[in-house]
Amino acid sequence: MTAVASPLARFLVKVFAWLPLAFAAWYFAAPVLLWPAKLLLELVARLGFADLVTAVEQNAATFTFVTLLKPGDVTGKTAQLIVDVDGLLYSFGLPLFAALVIAARAPRWGRVLALGYAVMVPFIAFGVFADFLKDVTLGAGPLVASQTGFLGWQLEAIAFSYQIGALILPTIVPAIAWLLTHRAFLEQMRQA
Amino acid sequence: MLTCALRAASIPRGAVPPMIRFFVVFVALQAGLFAAELTPWAQEYFVVPWTNALAAISAWLVTLIDPNVAATGKVLQSTRNGFAVSIESGCNGVEATIVLVAAILAFPASWKRRLIGLAVGIIAVQGLNIVRVISLFYLGQWDLRVFEWAHLYVWQALIMLDVLVVWLVWVRTLPPPDAGPVPAPG
């Protein structure tokens, strides 16, 4: 049992040592780390949802979607619905991935770190956008939802995307990215 | 072991590489199980009873050292100060369990070893999840900001780390794919 556990145990100790530092770095660097996700969100909004979203803004780790939707009965007044989404909720896999990569110290780990980050950014953007769509369709009441014009099956797809974007992707993507980039390390660990 | 098992056999021309096959099957199982989990039937007959049981077990464990705790449905509540935590999707360990089940079923192994891996792995994941629920229950009574941090970010990552470690340990216990029968001693 010791032979089975020890290389993994040593690796785990390193992961736990790096995890608090990785979380701290992620939290304080989030405005910068999430900036590429903001660019992606702008692109998606412009290309696919121009009739719904006029701008995507970023304030620290929060994304703000400025929409063309009216928030309620505002006859005679001009009002736009603005939706905030917390980017940290969809990016906590970044420190997990960083801790795993740094603890493994595979060759060219810095490059692996950058590659994993690049892979994870679109999934972060996916989760944030699905959260926004869920808010304006399923969470904002019938008056707002009716303005979006989504069909029944599209609402189902939004609900599913939100669930998978919030509950599955933020944790599973870093784990898969780490496995795919550390096959040689895993083999070494098995043979140790 | 991962690469060993997945590289072991020479790949016939036109065959799907084992690593690709593993990830395709893993993602398909993952998506299927997650979609099934969201159906009203699964929610009523599996997720809700599972979550209630988790709250009841957590309350029972806590009352061993703190009698001022009660569980009602999926809510764990302090009878002393009224603070309560409700175990919702993402906190009941069902999604983490789905990931583990998909990873074990997608990996090439005998059904016997898969079943052992599933039984031990699910206990390990749910065990840590109970620690998560109980720790959050007390963190919330101590400091709500710390509770939010632990709840939304730290424990989510730790549970996935648990799944990853359990799966790695299971994979390491598998025999090499090209190992023949064990020769008789002497």
Side-chain angles (χ1 to χ4, degrees):
Chain A
M1 189 63 197
T2 309
V4 169
S6 73
L8 198 57
R10 280 199 300 272
F11 170 65
L12 262 181
V13 168
K14 289 181 189 170
V15 172
F16 279 110
W18 280 107
L19 209 50
L21 293 171
F23 261 108
W26 160 76
Y27 183 73
F28 290 111
V32 177
L33 291 172
L34 291 175
W35 181 71
K38 185 239 178 189
L39 296 183
L40 260 180
L41 289 166
E42 276 182 332
L43 188 69
V44 170
R46 206 169 290 168
L47 294 179
F49 298 86
D51 54 342
L52 195 64
V53 182
T54 58
V56 181
E57 294 162 4
Q58 183 189 356
N59 181 16
T62 301
F63 297 103
T64 301
F65 293 82
V66 182
T67 75
L68 288 166
L69 303 169
K70 289 184 170 37
D73 186 11
V74 288
T75 316
K77 296 175 185 171
T78 306
Q80 284 177 298
L81 185 73
I82 290 173
V83 178
D84 284 342
V85 178
D86 180 5
L88 295 178
L89 288 175
Y90 300 93
S91 60
F92 61 80
L94 289 173
L96 175 62
F97 180 76
L100 287 168
V101 170
I102 298 171
R105 288 283 174 138
R108 291 183 286 185
W109 62 271
R111 191 183 293 185
V112 171
L113 210 54
L115 178 70
Y117 169 66
V119 167
M120 278 187 272
V121 164
F123 290 99
I124 294 168
F126 175 87
V128 169
F129 205 83
D131 191 334
F132 156 70
L133 288 176
K134 181 267 297 176
D135 276 352
V136 296
T137 53
L138 307 168
L143 206 61
V144 172
S146 63
Q147 297 172 54
T148 62
F150 287 115
L151 303 173
W153 70 268
Q154 290 171 320
L155 295 176
E156 293 287 337
I158 288 168
F160 185 74
S161 299
Y162 165 68
Q163 294 275 1
I164 208 160
L167 298 177
I168 297 284
L169 294 179
T171 50
I172 196 74
V173 172
I176 290 179
W178 183 78
L179 283 174
L180 284 174
T181 51
H182 288 77
R183 283 176 284 174
F185 172 78
L186 292 169
E187 178 62 11
Q188 279 174 10
M189 211 162 55
R190 186 192 71 85
Q191 290 170 350
Chain B
M1 176 57 91
L2 179 70
T3 42
C4 178
L6 294 178
R7 277 181 189 161
S10 59
I11 305 165
R13 192 182 292 261
V16 179
M19 180 61 93
I20 301 294
R21 182 189 170 280
F22 167 74
F23 278 104
V24 169
V25 174
F26 170 72
V27 170
L29 278 172
Q30 170 81 28
L33 288 170
F34 187 64
E37 185 217 339
L38 295 178
T39 61
W41 186 88
Q43 289 289 321
E44 184 179 351
Y45 293 106
F46 174 67
V47 177
V48 172
W50 178 291
T51 309
N52 291 347
L54 189 66
I57 292 168
S58 302
W60 177 76
L61 283 171
V62 171
T63 49
L64 294 177
I65 52 166
D66 181 356
N68 305 309
V69 180
T72 311
K74 61 182 180 180
V75 175
L76 194 66
Q77 185 164 25
S78 166
T79 55
R80 189 174 51 226
N81 58 24
F83 180 83
V85 290
S86 176
I87 305 173
E88 301 292 337
S89 296
C91 297
N92 54 15
V94 172
E95 290 77 20
T97 303
I98 285 174
V99 174
L100 181 70
V101 169
I104 287 179
L105 293 183
F107 199 81
S110 69
W111 277 103
K112 184 185 169 188
R113 287 184 180 276
R114 281 177 177 155
L115 289 174
I116 293 170
L118 287 175
V120 176
I122 289 170
I123 290 170
V125 171
Q126 288 301 323
L128 188 67
N129 201 50
I130 287 171
V131 174
R132 159 162 75 169
V133 170
I134 294 172
S135 72
L136 289 174
F137 178 67
Y138 284 106
L139 280 176
Q141 294 177 68
W142 174 57
D143 189 320
L144 276 177
R145 282 191 66 188
V146 176
F147 167 84
E148 283 295 308
W149 240 82
H151 172 225
L152 296 174
Y153 316 126
V154 178
W155 266 116
Q156 301 276 55
L158 290 180
I159 291 289
M160 181 47 61
L161 188 60
D162 185 32
V163 171
L164 183 64
V165 169
V166 165
W167 183 76
L168 286 173
V169 169
W170 174 74
V171 167
R172 284 167 57 86
T173 63
L174 296 177
D178 50 354
V182 179

